[in-house]
Amino acid sequence: MPFPAVVPPHSPVPLGTIVTMPDPRVLELCVLAGCDWLFVDCEHGAIALPQLGALLAGKGSTPALVRLPADDEQHVKQALDAGCEGIICPRVEDAETVRRLVDHGKYPPLGSRSVGIGRAHGYGLNFSGHLAEANESTSVVVQIESEEGVRNLDEILAVPGLGGVFIGPYDLSGSMGVPGQVETPAVRRAVRHVVDSCKEAGVPVGQFFGTRAAFDAAESRDLHDFAAIGIDTVFLATAVADATRPSGS
Ligand code: 3PY
Ligand code: MG
């Protein structure tokens, strides 16, 4: 089943987390811990695109979306050939970029995705099978995480083949001059505008939340088609800090 593939919204909202560490055990333990989906980060994380095939082998049937380092055809090819359920392109600000991503991410006749043989194609054992179903079973998702992206949202949402939008509130807050202050009213209004516009356009919408508490408190939480909560390294750091803080503090 394609992911994200859910309009109108799921209840409960499928929840995942951001995986940035290239150790296959990290991805595996996120699956074992019950993530509904995985956000595999090749933008800010330590995971390099050539490592993806080996990492994704441990995900079982849990869908994984790979965040690309940048909008680049080479990145699209490597991520999709590694066998993920879709790509997330950071900071997309105009419809032309979306059109290019869809073109690079879909086989003809929808686009011009280059034909390689990777884990996605069963290393050749499912070559024609993947070519036949990939346009349906993989998604091109773009991040809206700047004021410019919000300004151009309507034309972005109108691009045929767009599979979803993922809101990055942290970069959005930075572009609005208040980096990290995601609860600022202007940032919250912008986020809500993106959520509502996606709903109206029938485009699945997801968002990053730093903590479970932030997700639970969000007024738009039930409107999301998918959400990512937290980051592997941050979970580890906070758990270690909690466990080793001096008694009584
Ligand atoms: C952001 O908040 O900027 C993100 O990209 C989170 O994924
Ligand atoms: Mg971001």
Side-chain angles (χ1 to χ4, degrees), residues 39-40 49 63 70 105 112 157 168 180 191 199 206 217 223 229 241:
F39 181 127
V40 180
L49 288 162
S112 65
L157 293 176
V191 165
K199 293 277 111 182
L223 296 176
I229 298 178

Side-chain angles (χ1 to χ4, degrees), residues 30-202:
C30 289
V31 171
L32 292 173
C35 283
D36 298 314
W37 70 286
L38 301 161
F39 181 127
V40 180
D41 190 11
C42 297
E43 184 199 16
H44 289 292
I47 298 171
L49 288 162
Q51 295 172 301
L52 281 174
L55 286 181
L56 295 174
K59 76 182 189 60
S61 59
T62 305
L65 300 182
V66 171
R67 178 161 63 182
L68 309 178
D71 151 34
D72 183 298
E73 181 182 8
Q74 181 65 13
H75 301 332
V76 176
K77 287 192 268 197
Q78 286 196 303
L80 290 177
D81 286 354
C84 57
E85 277 64 29
I87 51 165
I88 300 179
C89 184
R91 193 171 302 208
V92 169
E93 301 190 312
D94 55 64
E96 188 42 44
T97 305
V98 185
R99 273 191 283 275
R100 211 170 40 243
L101 286 162
V102 171
D103 184 53
H104 295 154
K106 301 287 178 189
Y107 288 125
L110 298 184
S112 65
R113 177 175 163 189
S114 172
V115 178
I117 300 185
R119 183 178 161 273
H121 315 74
Y123 307 100
L125 300 174
N126 186 33
F127 178 67
S128 42
H130 184 68
L131 262 57
E133 50 92 61
N135 284 353
E136 280 299 309
S137 64
T138 61
S139 301
V140 173
V141 176
V142 300
Q143 274 200 268
I144 298 297
E145 50 179 354
S146 67
E147 280 192 303
E148 182 68 4
V150 175
R151 255 194 302 279
N152 293 329
L153 188 59
D154 288 347
E155 58 175 67
I156 286 172
L157 293 176
V159 175
L162 175 64
V165 158
F166 190 83
I167 302 169
Y170 284 85
D171 275 318
L172 181 58
S173 68
S175 87
M176 298 175 79
V178 286
Q181 296 176 44
V182 296
E183 291 304 326
T184 304
V187 177
R188 288 171 56 158
R189 271 197 304 277
V191 165
R192 185 59 200 250
H193 170 69
V194 177
V195 172
D196 290 343
S197 302
C198 289
K199 293 277 111 182
E200 218 176 291

